[in-house]
Amino acid sequence: MGVYNKLETVKLEGKYLFCDQFDSQRLELSSSAVKVITDFTRRVPQVVLKDVDIDHALYMMVNGHVRSKLVVDHDDTFLGVINSKDLTGRKVLSVAQQRNQARSDLTVEDLMTQKSDLQAMSYSMVQTAKIGDVIETLKELGHQHVLLVDEEGGLRGMISASDIARSLHIPINILQKAHSFKDIFSIIYAHQEMIA
């Protein structure tokens, strides 16, 4: 390891105001979509192993202040996405009942959205898109996030509706859409959960 030095500090006395945002331009729907990308070349993606139990995965998300993680196997092969909503509620009980397992025996792999059920966009396309274009795409897909792939087919990044909402300081409501009979059942079941 190298030699490091203690840095000088100052005592916080008097009045302090928050600094303006680093990017002096306020983000708007017409701003470049690049501004809301989680770029995996600049930031290590949030991952979780497929065999982590659901309570531990939820604990990791809460403590890491993230709502979703990419699911990988022990060779770091991408398998799917898990979000905090998947780890709570009736979906957990439904899967446990279907598999005749205790809730505590369920893993991330049991509840994740598999990569074959996900959509991705080309990173180069997003470079010329606006934030509003991405929101419309998410709404059309009925997904909270979309992955980005580069020209070589590698996972380059991700855009999430919650990140956009936080950046623009606006609510973004994405209604889940059914793409299969299984999706229809899941949506109806989730709706019944909201009513109960």
Side-chain angles (χ1 to χ4, degrees), residues 86-103:
D86 295 331
L87 299 172
T88 57
R90 286 195 180 177
K91 181 178 181 181
V92 173
L93 299 176
S94 174
V95 170
Q97 188 175 33
Q98 288 171 3
R99 294 174 181 237
N100 200 23
Q101 288 181 300
R103 181 194 175 285

Side-chain angles (χ1 to χ4, degrees), residues 141-154:
L141 292 172
H143 291 288
Q144 293 295 319
H145 48 264
V146 65
L147 293 165
L148 306 176
V149 291
D150 62 18
E151 289 74 29
E152 290 81 40

Side-chain angles (χ1 to χ4, degrees), residues 23-25 27 31-38 126 129 131 163 167:
D23 189 343
S24 60
Q25 283 187 327
L27 291 183
S31 300
S32 170
V34 173
K35 303 275 187 181
V36 291
I37 290 175
T38 299
V126 174
I131 293 174
D163 287 347
S167 297

Side-chain angles (χ1 to χ4, degrees), residues 135-172:
I135 293 172
E136 284 306 308
T137 305
L138 290 171
K139 286 180 178 179
E140 184 61 33
L141 292 172
H143 291 288
Q144 293 295 319
H145 48 264
V146 65
L147 293 165
L148 306 176
V149 291
D150 62 18
E151 289 74 29
E152 290 81 40
L155 283 179
R156 173 66 191 265
M158 183 168 73
I159 301 177
S160 113
S162 59
D163 287 347
I164 295 173
R166 198 169 27 255
S167 297
L168 270 58
H169 305 289
I170 61 170
I172 297 176

Side-chain angles (χ1 to χ4, degrees), residues 23-126:
D23 189 343
S24 60
Q25 283 187 327
R26 183 177 173 179
L27 291 183
E28 299 175 352
L29 292 173
S30 59
S31 300
S32 170
V34 173
K35 303 275 187 181
V36 291
I37 290 175
T38 299
D39 189 334
F40 298 158
T41 64
R42 296 186 177 152
R43 192 168 141 198
V44 177
Q46 294 280 329
V47 298
V48 63
L49 286 170
K50 67 177 184 170
D51 50 8
V52 170
D53 68 81
I54 62 171
D55 289 328
H56 189 229
L58 187 59
Y59 176 81
M60 290 166 42
M61 285 185 194
V62 169
N63 284 327
H65 303 286
V66 295
R67 293 186 180 157
S68 63
K69 285 185 175 274
L70 303 178
V71 181
V72 296
D73 64 14
H74 291 276
D75 295 325
D76 283 335
T77 302
F78 171 66
L79 301 175
V81 174
I82 189 79
N83 64 52
S84 56
K85 194 174 176 184
D86 295 331
L87 299 172
T88 57
R90 286 195 180 177
K91 181 178 181 181
V92 173
L93 299 176
S94 174
V95 170
Q97 188 175 33
Q98 288 171 3
R99 294 174 181 237
N100 200 23
Q101 288 181 300
R103 181 194 175 285
S104 59
D105 293 335
L106 294 177
T107 65
V108 168
E109 186 175 26
D110 297 325
L111 295 164
M112 71 179 185
T113 302
Q114 296 181 22
K115 74 177 173 186
S116 59
D117 295 329
L118 295 169
Q119 297 289 322
M121 291 191 294
S122 158
Y123 182 81
S124 58
M125 183 189 339
V126 174

